[in-house]
Amino acid sequence: MASAADRRGPIWPHLRIQLRVVDALLRREMLTRYGRHNIGFLWLFVEPMIFTVGVTILWTATKSVHGSDLPISSFALTGYSSVLLWRNMPGRCIGALQNNLALMYHRNIQVGDIYLARLLIEFGGATISFASLAVLFIAIEWMAPPEDFLKVAAGWLLIAWFGCAVAIGLGALSHLSELVDKLWHPFSYLLFPLSGSAFIVAALPRFAQDIVLWIPTVHGIELVREGFFGSRARATYDLSYLIPFNLVLSLIALIALRYVSRRVVPG
Amino acid sequence: MIRVRDLAKVYPTRFGENLVFEGVSFDLAMGERLGILGRNGAGKSTLVRLISGAERPTAGTIESSISISWPLAFAGAFQPQLTGADNVRFISRVYDQDFERNLAFVEEFAELGPYLREPVMTYSSGMRARLAFAISMIIEFDCFLIDEISAVGDARFHDRCNFELFDKRGDRAMIIISHDAAYVRDHCNRWGVLHDGGLVLYDDFEVAYADFKELIGWKPPPGWPQIPVATA
């Protein structure tokens, strides 16, 4: 049975099956979403690139006030890429199980594999888009190379972790109630201006800083910016808040995933 | 060997809990083909889903030392935007099988011609059924679960399915669900009637069918030949 019995024993054979399944799901999802027409799977990162470039142009044209002396283009690139990273993951996972219920007939495929495949696609797309635009902006000297690449990577991964946990949790809960889908759109839209992408914390008045620092993505984006711009970013972040926050969120997400996996009825 | 013990399934509904069946127990060895009769809603498909491992029972256990298929004739797992060949590729990856060999078999069996490389959403229901059945045959399971396969396709398709299933794979275990009593009679060697939340097993089709007809309230129309039924 696909219950506890055949999951005992060494973990490697199971890991191998799961890797194969996630790989198969990933290719299936990419083919379904991008097909073989025009540029095909290049849309994976061309789409977020268009978004980011659009926002960069918009913010540059309107000379958006962001409260720092950073060039607006590099500010928009770091800010908006991060938004795409954490916001698209839940967007893709909400309702994903409902659309793929028939896959549950294949006993190798677990609910979590469906989410995992989509998260990898979103992470890949957002990361390639961010990296190629960064290289482009550096090449045309709109911005300098990152001062501390590891900090950029750490901040980026922490935002991705947050996105994954939210995505798995909301994805699982969306199978129990359609309210999740309805509420996520306004919620993510409202969270966007507060997420740290459109301001730097140091430029805010004291009371506003205290409020926005409750929002986990703010810490991640500030870390990315410190990696890019060093002290010019005047970053404010607290990893001893963000990491435990992600851990607790992941725990909740996995509980929700387990709850749903045990009750899923294939279509 | 598959060992099913005290299987029960309850679905929550808005009006309280709905018990589909409980206390279902049986063993199935290689070469045994269990045909299950039952009215609409008796829980036949639910039983098959539980055994396929797609869903968990509310109580009871299913132990199996052999590999079990997904329910055959079931075409739902196709991604409609993908081509038939892409779907073969996906299944081959999930089950770690040789794609080229599988594609050759599907090409030969499903007779889809150029449509094998067109999106599944452009297929007719008969084409879908042929693709679904061909894909089900590319993985060599020990036990096949067959849910109402006689409902789709034309006579030629049925003959080819029967040949693949009962001639080439006659040594396997099978669980067959059908409303077509003759199909179940001809292809099974054990029978069961699922009714009122319980499963009763029979070694003789005529006894099983007589009980089943009584349960569904079937009355012979006037002029029906009266053949005495042997009782167990």
Side-chain angles (χ1 to χ4, degrees):
Chain A
M1 264 311 286
S3 59
D6 60 12
R7 308 255 177 79
R8 283 190 212 112
I11 192 169
W12 280 115
H14 300 293
L15 211 58
R16 229 173 48 88
I17 293 176
Q18 197 182 11
L19 282 177
R20 209 175 62 224
V21 165
V22 170
D23 174 56
L25 285 168
L26 197 145
R27 289 161 192 259
R28 174 179 184 266
E29 178 68 19
M30 297 252 283
L31 256 184
T32 307
R33 209 189 294 173
Y34 306 110
R36 295 197 173 90
H37 314 294
N38 53 67
I39 63 169
F41 83 98
L42 290 182
W43 281 117
L44 173 67
F45 50 90
V46 171
E47 192 183 342
M49 278 167 85
I50 294 172
F51 259 110
T52 313
V53 169
V55 167
T56 305
I57 292 171
L58 213 61
W59 285 7
T60 309
T62 55
K63 298 195 171 51
S64 282
V65 183
H66 51 89
S68 78
D69 57 356
L70 301 176
I72 186 78
S73 53
S74 47
F75 182 81
L77 173 67
T78 50
Y80 202 71
S81 299
S82 312
V83 171
L84 287 179
L85 180 62
W86 63 260
R87 198 174 62 178
N88 284 0
M89 285 176 164
R92 287 292 175 188
C93 286
I94 289 172
L97 180 58
Q98 193 62 42
N99 294 332
N100 284 294
L101 268 184
L103 289 178
M104 293 294 105
Y105 275 111
H106 303 294
R107 67 178 54 214
N108 285 343
I109 304 179
Q110 312 279 326
V111 176
D113 298 339
I114 295 177
Y115 296 139
L116 204 54
R118 293 186 172 216
L119 291 175
L120 284 172
I121 293 175
E122 286 313 319
F123 179 74
T127 306
I128 297 173
S129 152
F130 180 45
S132 8
L133 283 178
V135 168
L136 177 73
F137 282 17
I138 291 167
I140 59 176
E141 289 179 349
W142 275 13
M143 61 197 263
E147 292 193 10
D148 186 340
F149 177 76
L150 281 182
K151 274 187 183 165
V152 177
W156 187 253
L157 288 176
L158 284 168
I159 297 169
W161 181 9
F162 170 80
C164 289
V166 174
I168 292 178
L170 290 183
L173 292 177
S174 72
H175 196 67
L176 303 175
S177 163
E178 63 263 37
L179 277 181
V180 174
D181 184 36
K182 301 252 190 306
L183 293 179
W184 168 248
H185 291 288
F187 181 76
S188 66
Y189 195 78
L190 293 175
L191 194 59
F192 166 43
L194 298 175
S195 69
S197 57
F199 58 79
I200 66 166
V201 175
L204 298 178
R206 185 75 211 169
F207 75 97
Q209 288 186 10
D210 291 343
I211 296 172
V212 295
L213 282 174
W214 285 103
I215 301 170
T217 53
V218 172
H219 298 263
I221 295 176
E222 292 277 309
L223 179 55
V224 169
R225 289 204 173 118
E226 187 175 79
F228 253 103
F229 313 115
S231 58
R232 281 169 70 210
R234 291 185 290 144
T236 315
Y237 59 88
D238 183 359
L239 295 186
S240 65
Y241 173 71
L242 179 54
I243 293 174
F245 190 101
N246 279 353
L247 275 173
V248 172
L249 202 62
S250 306
L251 183 71
I252 297 170
L254 292 177
I255 292 172
L257 177 65
R258 188 175 167 84
Y259 182 88
V260 169
S261 301
R262 290 183 161 277
R263 282 161 186 79
V264 65
V265 180
Chain B
M1 179 78 124
I2 301 174
R3 291 162 58 88
V4 177
R5 288 291 175 275
D6 289 320
L7 209 58
K9 186 68 190 178
V10 174
Y11 284 118
T13 71
R14 276 186 289 173
F15 311 100
E17 298 199 318
N18 172 35
L19 174 73
V20 185
F21 49 70
E22 61 182 339
V24 169
S25 300
F26 62 89
D27 290 345
L28 194 73
M30 291 293 277
E32 289 192 313
R33 292 184 295 277
L34 174 64
I36 296 179
L37 299 166
R39 295 160 54 155
N40 285 337
K44 301 185 296 296
S45 296
T46 302
L47 180 60
V48 160
R49 279 205 302 273
L50 294 183
I51 295 173
S52 78
E55 215 177 310
R56 286 160 199 264
T58 310
T61 57
I62 301 165
E63 288 170 24
S64 175
S65 54
I66 60 180
S67 62
I68 306 176
S69 78
W70 62 81
L72 258 60
F74 138 82
F78 295 141
Q79 190 81 338
Q81 296 97 321
L82 294 189
T83 67
D86 282 335
N87 279 291
V88 174
R89 198 189 306 267
F90 173 69
I91 295 290
S92 301
R93 278 212 185 93
V94 167
Y95 287 89
D96 202 10
Q97 302 263 321
D98 179 6
F99 166 66
E100 296 298 333
R101 188 188 64 93
N102 288 344
L103 191 67
F105 173 80
V106 172
E107 203 146 26
E108 198 271 322
F109 184 88
E111 299 181 330
L112 293 168
Y115 272 89
L116 188 57
R117 286 170 182 82
E118 290 291 315
V120 169
M121 59 190 173
T122 62
Y123 289 18
S124 70
S125 56
M127 291 162 79
R128 253 172 233 240
R130 293 206 299 276
L131 178 66
F133 188 85
I135 287 185
S136 308
M137 287 297 107
I138 60 186
I139 323 285
E140 291 295 345
F141 293 109
D142 297 321
C143 173
F144 286 96
L145 305 175
I146 300 159
D147 191 348
E148 210 57 89
I149 202 153
S150 49
V152 288
D154 56 17
R156 175 177 153 78
F157 174 61
H158 286 174
D159 289 346
R160 290 164 55 99
C161 288
N162 289 345
F163 176 73
E164 284 291 332
L165 273 178
F166 304 114
D167 290 318
K168 286 170 88 170
R169 292 170 183 78
D171 56 335
R172 314 295 168 85
M174 295 184 193
I175 295 177
I176 301 178
I177 291 174
S178 181
H179 288 288
D180 180 351
Y183 184 82
V184 171
R185 178 193 66 207
D186 293 344
H187 296 296
C188 296
N189 46 29
R190 290 176 67 194
W191 296 271
V193 173
L194 199 52
H195 186 76
D196 236 0
L199 178 74
V200 185
L201 294 165
Y202 301 84
D203 286 324
D204 184 327
F205 174 76
E206 297 303 333
V207 182
Y209 192 48
D211 282 7
F212 175 63
K213 280 191 291 196
E214 197 166 309
L215 287 173
I216 63 172
W218 187 85
K219 297 227 173 29
W224 192 262
Q226 288 296 318
I227 302 164
V229 169
T231 44

